[in-house]
């Protein structure tokens, strides 16, 4: 635990700032990089993890976050991604409560603030990794590398690869994981007694606190457990001052055999045993929580993991590693998704891309050689710990221990980039020390790099502000990615530009001929444009490729119903329900089919099933009331309407339908009340004004009837039947006036 003087630190052309000033400077740079994303929308994965995640709603029991995955699905479900991050979901829920709903500003502001705090804390982490652990006379930890740690923290704060984690709200998992990763490491350092020179003295309490914070990091994102590897490496290299190269030589070549007392006297075995036991306990708990085993990913998610040839699988994995390394070195080509053809598989050893993994391993072997064999102990420790911080947090994403659901993901580099920034800052110090006469140009170049990083972050976070910008920005990076074209098309369709959306959906299907979701959406657009035959062909192809695609079966049923292929439509609906048991929208459409076939009992049963599965299904409730009204079952229609309004008290369509029923039952006052409530919610409904006028007409309140007929015609001059009723009322009023004039006066 002796202080490690960092001889190159004073050579770095940066001002030596006080600890608080350094942290404030780094935090400000972090804010500058990503502040323009504060008012962005919910984009990409945010829709599933936040917008559609019921675990965020106050009405959902809080306990649900402990049994559901990150996306709101039950962990026991076979379709669950098994991403168990309850503490991250809890912060989303707090954002929802504080903002009073799904207002993205609060979510984004917290992400930006977390990144600023993490960037500032990395000064302490880097200082310990570079200069070791020592204390001043007041018991404060000393920073023996203030300039190197400041430079590394500035590079981390401004690295553009972090944009996905900061500007995308779902990146909260990476941010929280990194924060507790840092706290776990820093508390582990507190375990070593600064008041004793004995090597075996350490605080078990602080080690346990560090393990607890590791567990918290793991509950934010699974990557958090890797802090144990960093803690162990720090302990071995800086606390126990072990020369790894010398130790390996003694173990392998049996020169100067290693005595147990040399290691046990440091207390290292006890600490490693505690961390090993804690880590195994966390892994067991994590596996037990998953329940049904690891998630099932498809070939589209990670094609290399499905390659039958083990050699090609390894080559592709290593190519993916080289792509991740390139994103750290040159974070210019950034994309929200790297799957579906964005990175074509290497299928033979003659593929020129195999040169990149070879280059990567040459660089890594060179660094490892320097880390193990350098005569400079300070260089050995810094390079080794930099490599540990680079590689260890990346291990869960490397496909070695289990298959992951992505090809490349920028968010998984959030922690690993800290190791890269540490190595880059060390390289700067080494160069300034070796070529001291070039210190000024080197300083200018490093300042220019940080400025470029800041500019790239600002541009990229601007692209993350909306789905339109985000998706279109990926077209130039991954033009072969079918998912990119699909998302651009979906965004265009959502904004009403279905004509442009068709071209992108068709390109997605061309690039990936079995892309059933693109076929489904394209089929829906064709259906809306009344191109029913083409829609049927696309949807039939989608379900033939993926027979359990429930949404496509339902949409196929809707098209077949429009084509009057009633038997086929009914079968399609039942297929959808077979593959998705709880499918209220499908029951609703099945009810519409039965209503068209005059199978009224079946229609009512289907709509009732829809409301049981989804009590807020307004259309199903309304159709039940209308069908019962049309078939003369007014009493039953009234009961259903009142039941619906107890669940949906502000639904003006149900108010309107119930008001019509009450009017036919001659409950004029109640009917009037529901019409007026409906008009208060939807004051520009010509139909509602027209039917209220009919009610007043029947009731004998002719002046009110005349007024609402006029309002209805003003809103919709072509309202069916309204003008005839209005003319009939005018004739009646004229006749009444004439009768009054002809009545003899006394």
């Amino acid at each position: 635990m002796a202080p490690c003087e960092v001889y190159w630190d004073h050579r770095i052309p940066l001002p030596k700032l006080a600890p608080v000033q350094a942290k404030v400077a780094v935090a400000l740079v972090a804010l500058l990089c990503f502040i323009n994303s504060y008012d962005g929308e919910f984009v990409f994965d945010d829709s599933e993890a936040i917008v559609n995640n019921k675990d965020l709603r106050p009405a959902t029991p809080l306990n649900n976050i402990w049994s559901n995955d990150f996306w709101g699905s039950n962990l026991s479900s076979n379709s669950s991604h098994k991403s168990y991050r309850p503490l991250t979901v809890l912060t989303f829920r707090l954002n929802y409560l504080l903002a009073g709903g799904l207002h993205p500003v609060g979510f984004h502001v917290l992400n930006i603030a977390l990144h600023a705090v993490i960037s500032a804390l990395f000064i302490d982490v880097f200082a310990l990794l570079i200069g070791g652990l020592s204390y001043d006379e007041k018991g404060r930890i000393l920073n023996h590398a203030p300039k190197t740690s400041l430079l590394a923290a500035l590079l981390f704060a401004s690295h553009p690869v972090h944009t996905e984690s900061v500007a995308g709200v779902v990146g909260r998992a990476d941010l929280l994981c990194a924060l507790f990763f840092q706290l776990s490491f820093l508390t582990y350092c507190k375990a070593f007694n600064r008041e004793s020179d004995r090597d075996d003295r350490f605080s078990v309490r602080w080690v346990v606190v560090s393990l607890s914070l590791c567990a918290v990091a793991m509950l934010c994102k699974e990557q958090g457990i890797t802090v144990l590897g960093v803690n162990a490496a720090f302990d071995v290299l800086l606390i126990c001052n072990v020369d790894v190269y010398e130790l390996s030589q003694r173990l392998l070549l049996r020169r100067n055999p290693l005595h147990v007392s040399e290691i046990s006297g440091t207390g290292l075995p006890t600490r490693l045993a505690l961390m090993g036991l804690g880590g195994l306990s966390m892994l067991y708990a994590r596996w037990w929580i998953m329940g049904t085993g690891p998630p099932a990913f498809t070939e589209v998610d990670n094609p290399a993991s499905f390659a039958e040839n083990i050699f090609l699988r390894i080559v592709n994995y290593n190519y993916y590693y080289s792509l991740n390394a390139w994103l750290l070195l040159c974070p210019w080509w950034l994309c929200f998704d790297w799957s579906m053809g964005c990175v074509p598989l290497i299928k033979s050893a003659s593929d020129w891309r195999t040169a990149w993994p070879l280059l990567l391993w040459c660089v890594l072997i060179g660094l490892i050689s320097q880390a193990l064999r350098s005569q400079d102990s300070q260089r050995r420790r810094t390079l080794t710990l930099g490599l540990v911080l680079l590689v260890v947090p990346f291990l869960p994403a490397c496909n070695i221990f289990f298959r992951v659901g992505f090809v490349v993901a920028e968010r998984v580099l959030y922690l690993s980039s800290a190791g890269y920034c540490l190595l880059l800052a060390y390289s700067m110090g080494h160069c300034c020390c070796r070529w001291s006469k070039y210190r000024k140009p080197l300083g200018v170049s490093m300042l220019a790099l940080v400025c470029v990083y800041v500019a790239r972050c600002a541009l990229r976070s601007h692209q993350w502000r909306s789905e339109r910008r985000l998706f279109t920005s990926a077209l130039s990076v991954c033009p072969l990615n079918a998912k990119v074209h699909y998302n651009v098309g979906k965004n265009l369709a959502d904004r009403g530009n279905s004509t442009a959306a068709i071209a992108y959906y068709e390109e997605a299907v061309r690039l990936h001929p079995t892309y059933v979701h693109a076929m489904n959406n394209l089929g829906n657009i064709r259906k809306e444009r009344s191109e029913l035959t083409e829609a049927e062909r696309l949807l039939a192809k989608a379900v033939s490729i993926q027979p359990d695609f429930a949404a496509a079966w339902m949409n196929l049923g809707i098209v077949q119903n429009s084509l009057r292929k009633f038997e086929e439509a009914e079968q399609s609906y039942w297929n959808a329900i077979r593959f998705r048991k709880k499918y209220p929208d499908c029951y609703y459409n099945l009810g519409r089919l039965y209503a068209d076939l005059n199978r009224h009992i079946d229609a009512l049963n289907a709509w009732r099933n829809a409301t049981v599965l989804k009590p807020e299904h307004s259309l199903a409730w309304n159709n039940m009331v209308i069908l019962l009204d049309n078939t003369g079952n007014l009493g039953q229609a009234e009961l259903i309407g009142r039941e619906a309004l107890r669940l949906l008290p502000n639904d003006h369509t149900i108010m309107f339908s119930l008001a019509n029923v009450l009017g036919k039952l001659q409950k004029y006052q109640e009917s009037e009340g529901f019409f007026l409530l409906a008009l208060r919610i939807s004051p520009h409904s010509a139909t509602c004004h027209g039917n209220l006028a009919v009610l007043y007409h029947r009731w004998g309140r002719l002046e009110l009837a005349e007024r609402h007929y006029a309002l209805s015609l003003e809103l919709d001059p072509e309202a069916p039947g309204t003008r005839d009723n209005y003319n009939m009322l005018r004739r009646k009023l004229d006749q009444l006036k004439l009768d009054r004039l002809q009545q003899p006066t006394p």
Side-chain angles (χ1 to χ4, degrees):
M1 287 195 297
C4 303
E5 296 298 336
V6 181
Y7 61 86
W8 68 76
D9 188 73
H10 69 283
R11 300 278 188 173
I12 293 178
L14 278 178
K16 187 175 180 179
L17 302 177
V20 173
Q21 291 175 329
K23 288 176 181 175
V24 169
V26 169
L28 288 175
V29 170
L31 292 174
L32 180 64
C33 288
F34 300 106
I35 194 66
N36 65 340
S37 67
Y38 85 95
D39 60 347
E41 304 168 1
F42 291 121
V43 297
F44 195 40
D45 286 340
D46 295 347
S47 60
E48 289 301 316
I50 297 167
V51 178
N52 298 327
N53 190 345
K54 292 183 178 179
D55 288 345
L56 272 65
R57 310 298 193 275
T60 304
L62 189 60
N63 288 339
N64 280 24
I65 69 171
W66 302 101
S67 56
N68 290 346
D69 66 16
F70 186 57
W71 313 95
S73 301
N74 194 285
L75 280 164
S76 61
S77 169
N78 290 329
S79 61
S80 170
H81 280 209
K82 312 296 182 184
S83 320
Y84 189 63
R85 302 164 190 174
L87 295 185
T88 303
V89 178
L90 183 61
T91 66
F92 292 154
R93 185 163 174 144
L94 289 172
N95 267 130
Y96 185 98
L97 288 171
L98 292 172
L102 288 171
H103 304 294
V105 171
F107 290 82
H108 284 294
V109 167
L110 183 53
N111 270 28
I112 296 167
L114 281 170
H115 177 63
V117 171
I118 292 162
S119 300
L121 273 178
F122 259 123
I123 291 179
D124 293 336
V125 174
F126 291 142
L128 287 165
L129 292 175
I130 298 167
L133 181 63
S134 62
Y135 299 88
D136 63 14
E137 63 278 0
K138 294 183 179 179
R140 294 175 299 197
I141 294 177
L142 292 170
N143 184 348
H144 292 288
K147 294 186 178 182
T148 311
S149 58
L150 173 60
L151 176 58
L154 286 171
L155 291 168
F156 178 86
S158 60
H159 203 291
V161 83
H162 299 154
T163 311
E164 181 176 356
S165 297
V166 182
V169 178
V170 293
R172 177 82 56 82
D174 302 280
L175 298 170
L176 290 172
C177 175
L179 178 62
F180 288 105
F181 181 104
Q182 293 174 316
L183 294 176
S184 176
F185 173 75
L186 293 172
T187 52
Y188 187 78
C189 295
K190 284 182 173 290
F192 303 100
N193 191 340
R194 62 179 178 271
E195 297 176 355
S196 174
D197 292 329
R198 286 176 53 189
D199 290 335
D200 62 339
R201 290 291 297 274
F202 67 95
S203 169
V204 174
R205 178 168 61 91
W206 281 114
V207 173
V208 172
V209 171
S210 175
L211 286 170
S212 301
L213 288 167
C214 172
V216 172
M218 200 174 172
L219 290 173
C220 296
K221 190 174 182 179
E222 299 76 3
Q223 206 175 7
I225 197 170
T226 59
V227 71
L228 297 179
V230 176
N231 290 349
F234 177 80
D235 199 338
V236 170
L237 294 170
L238 281 173
I239 301 300
C240 298
N241 202 25
V242 172
D243 186 327
V244 177
Y245 179 70
E246 180 186 347
L247 179 63
S248 64
Q249 291 293 305
R250 292 171 67 180
L251 289 173
L252 295 173
L253 303 179
R254 300 187 179 279
R255 297 172 183 169
N256 300 322
L258 183 71
H259 296 289
V260 175
S261 60
E262 293 182 53
I263 298 297
S264 61
T266 64
L268 178 63
T270 305
R271 295 192 293 274
L272 293 180
L274 283 172
M275 286 192 288
L277 182 62
L280 288 172
S281 300
M282 291 176 215
L283 288 173
Y284 174 77
R286 180 70 177 80
W287 188 262
W288 179 77
I289 287 168
M290 280 201 304
T292 57
F297 295 114
T298 64
E299 187 174 353
V300 170
D301 299 316
N302 186 355
S305 65
F306 288 85
E308 294 181 3
N309 186 309
I310 188 69
F311 170 75
L312 290 179
R313 193 184 306 172
I314 292 170
V315 169
N316 278 283
Y317 285 162
N318 280 273
Y319 181 59
Y320 294 167
Y321 305 157
S322 66
L323 287 176
N324 281 283
W326 181 248
L327 288 176
L328 291 176
L329 284 167
C330 184
W332 194 260
W333 290 275
L334 300 174
C335 186
F336 70 92
D337 186 272
W338 294 82
S339 63
M340 286 193 130
C342 188
V343 183
L345 277 179
I346 294 174
K347 297 183 179 179
S348 72
S350 60
D351 193 313
W352 68 271
R353 291 176 294 166
T354 55
W356 293 113
L358 292 174
L359 179 60
L360 172 67
W361 280 106
C362 286
V363 172
L364 285 176
I365 290 169
L367 287 171
I368 293 168
S369 175
Q370 284 291 308
L372 295 178
R373 303 176 65 110
S374 174
Q375 298 298 313
D376 184 345
S377 62
Q378 184 63 61
R379 178 189 293 182
R380 285 202 309 270
R381 284 193 294 264
T382 304
L383 285 175
T384 303
L385 289 170
L387 286 169
V388 166
L389 190 55
L390 173 70
V391 173
V392 171
F394 183 73
L395 290 177
C398 69
N399 284 293
I400 292 176
F401 303 105
F402 45 82
R403 177 183 290 154
V404 297
F406 51 84
V407 175
V408 174
E410 293 156 21
R411 59 187 176 276
V412 302
L413 294 173
Y414 190 79
L415 272 169
S416 291
S417 66
Y420 166 75
C421 294
L422 175 56
L423 293 173
L424 189 57
Y426 159 75
S427 302
M428 179 66 177
H430 178 71
C431 291
C432 289
C433 200
R434 187 168 182 178
W435 298 298
S436 56
K437 62 180 179 179
Y438 297 115
R439 279 182 63 200
K440 190 172 182 180
L442 287 169
V444 171
S445 64
M446 192 55 63
L447 177 62
L449 178 63
V450 172
C451 290
V452 169
Y453 276 4
V454 171
R456 180 64 179 128
C457 283
L459 173 62
R460 185 63 180 155
S461 58
H462 179 72
Q463 291 170 342
W464 272 85
R465 289 179 63 186
S466 71
E467 287 195 332
R468 179 178 63 83
R469 295 191 191 99
L470 178 64
F471 296 155
T472 52
S473 71
L475 289 171
S476 59
V477 180
C478 284
L480 299 179
N481 188 337
K483 189 182 283 189
V484 168
H485 292 274
Y486 168 83
N487 279 292
V488 173
K490 185 175 182 298
N491 183 255
L492 287 167
D494 290 343
R495 291 189 287 119
N497 192 352
S498 59
T499 303
I502 288 173
Y504 286 101
Y505 281 140
E506 288 178 341
E507 179 65 7
V509 174
R510 187 191 71 80
L511 290 169
H512 192 75
T514 59
Y515 199 173
V516 292
H517 291 89
M519 292 177 196
N520 178 60
N521 288 14
L522 185 55
N524 281 338
I525 290 178
R526 297 295 188 192
K527 174 191 69 180
E528 291 164 4
R529 295 162 71 98
S530 299
E531 300 171 14
L532 298 178
T533 304
E534 177 63 10
E536 183 183 25
R537 184 190 69 80
L538 286 163
L539 293 165
K541 185 177 179 182
V543 296
S544 68
I545 294 168
Q546 185 179 327
D548 64 346
F549 191 3
W553 276 115
M554 183 188 75
N555 291 326
L556 179 59
I558 295 171
V559 171
Q560 289 168 333
N561 189 14
S562 299
L563 290 169
R564 306 189 67 78
K565 298 180 179 180
F566 298 123
E567 290 184 10
E568 292 95 327
E570 183 179 8
Q571 186 58 51
S572 294
Y573 287 140
W574 283 115
N575 282 337
I577 293 167
R578 178 159 61 94
F579 293 119
R580 190 189 295 179
K581 306 296 182 187
K582 298 179 180 180
Y583 204 171
D585 288 342
C586 193
Y587 276 112
Y588 165 74
N589 284 301
L590 180 62
R592 289 184 60 191
L593 169 67
Y594 288 145
D596 290 343
L597 296 173
N598 293 320
R599 293 166 58 177
H600 296 152
I601 300 300
D602 290 335
L604 289 170
N605 287 335
W607 288 328
R608 173 57 76 176
N609 284 334
T611 59
V612 168
L613 293 171
K614 186 180 178 181
E616 67 274 16
H617 204 304
S618 170
L619 291 172
W621 284 114
N622 202 39
N623 278 16
M624 280 195 283
V625 175
I626 292 170
L627 180 59
L628 290 166
D629 181 3
N630 291 341
T631 54
N633 296 299
L634 298 178
Q636 187 67 18
E638 180 184 359
L639 291 175
I640 294 292
R642 293 186 186 279
E643 182 184 356
L645 283 178
R646 281 195 294 273
L647 294 166
L648 300 166
N650 297 316
D651 193 304
H652 65 92
T653 60
I654 296 173
M655 292 175 188
F656 172 77
S657 298
L658 178 58
N660 286 331
V661 171
L662 292 170
K664 292 177 183 178
L665 289 169
Q666 297 185 356
K667 298 180 179 181
Y668 296 135
Q669 194 165 353
E670 275 192 281
S671 176
E672 177 193 29
F674 282 116
F675 273 130
L676 292 174
L677 277 174
L679 283 170
R680 191 179 303 165
I681 297 168
S682 180
H684 302 296
S685 171
T687 307
C688 198
H689 280 290
N691 284 28
L692 177 57
V694 171
L695 173 74
Y696 285 137
H697 200 156
R698 289 178 183 169
W699 199 354
R701 302 175 68 176
L702 303 183
E703 291 81 4
L704 287 171
E706 181 183 23
R707 183 178 132 204
H708 283 280
Y709 278 136
L711 285 170
S712 177
L713 290 169
E714 182 182 334
L715 291 166
D716 181 9
E718 305 299 323
T722 302
R723 188 164 296 281
D724 291 339
N725 289 337
Y726 186 43
N727 291 335
M728 188 187 307
L729 176 65
R730 292 294 299 272
R731 287 195 295 272
K732 186 173 183 179
L733 288 170
D734 291 342
Q735 185 62 45
L736 287 173
K737 288 179 182 178
L738 185 62
D739 290 345
R740 287 195 199 99
L741 291 172
Q742 292 177 351
Q743 191 174 11
T745 56

